[in-house]
Amino acid sequence: PGSMLEPIWYLLTWLAVTLRLYIGVPWLYLNKWLAAPLRIINHKPMHRIAVVGDGFAEGVGDWTTVMVKSGLAYHLDKLIEARGAARHPWVVDSFGQWQSTSRDWRPDAATGASNWRSLSCARTTPLLRAALQSEAYAQSCAVVLMLGSLDGAR
């Protein structure tokens, strides 16, 4: 009797994980978009950190709420704030890209993430070039590179 329910349990688990991913990623993008104007208003001198990488760098799978960053950018912000040693404000910007691999971030990559399955339109600009052309990346004092977690799956 228990073995008959096992395939159903696996199907329900797969369905829950898939639905959470396809609901969570647009929710993540909406919160990144809503939180962006709050950083532009601040005119104090600040230092910036750029987080570049795959979906883990972006925050896919991480918890997020309205107008709050997710992923490594959120956690670095909280660590810097908790230490209280910074005299100037630090801003952590995320350039992570869901479904991207190390190959997608190479300078000679043709376009954005391979096997792009986002609900938005596919990128036509290579990921590294898009990050390098942004003003936030140009102002960064440090870069955190988080790649390779999806390389084995492709």
Side-chain angles (χ1 to χ4, degrees):
S3 63
M4 288 177 36
L5 295 177
E6 194 171 334
I8 295 171
W9 174 252
Y10 288 134
L11 177 66
L12 289 175
T13 304
W14 176 83
L15 186 62
V17 169
T18 304
L19 282 176
R20 192 220 181 277
L21 181 66
Y22 282 98
I23 291 171
V25 170
W27 176 248
L28 176 87
Y29 290 152
L30 175 67
N31 287 321
K32 279 174 65 173
W33 181 74
L34 289 173
L38 298 177
R39 295 189 303 250
I40 296 170
I41 296 170
N42 187 359
H43 295 290
K44 292 187 224 175
M46 68 177 95
H47 301 288
R48 293 184 102 100
I49 300 172
V51 178
V52 175
D54 55 19
F56 289 118
E58 186 177 29
V60 174
D62 199 3
W63 180 261
T64 185
T65 58
V66 178
M67 297 179 69
V68 176
K69 294 185 259 185
S70 65
L72 189 60
Y74 170 76
H75 296 290
L76 282 176
D77 269 344
K78 289 298 173 194
L79 283 173
I80 292 168
E81 184 180 304
R83 299 216 44 206
R87 291 186 179 180
H88 295 287
W90 283 80
V91 176
V92 184
D93 296 301
S94 177
F95 294 96
Q97 189 65 54
W98 180 51
Q99 294 287 324
S100 66
T101 62
S102 299
R103 180 177 292 151
D104 300 320
W105 283 95
R106 290 176 41 166
D108 60 348
T111 59
S114 59
N115 195 14
W116 179 259
R117 293 184 298 190
S118 173
L119 298 176
S120 63
C121 55
R123 284 189 175 273
T124 57
T125 306
L127 296 175
L128 184 61
R129 186 178 311 149
L132 291 173
Q133 290 173 348
S134 75
E135 185 178 337
Y137 188 90
Q139 296 174 357
S140 294
C141 303
V143 177
V144 177
L145 186 62
M146 245 179 114
L147 286 170
S149 61
L150 292 176
D151 289 354
R154 306 232 185 251

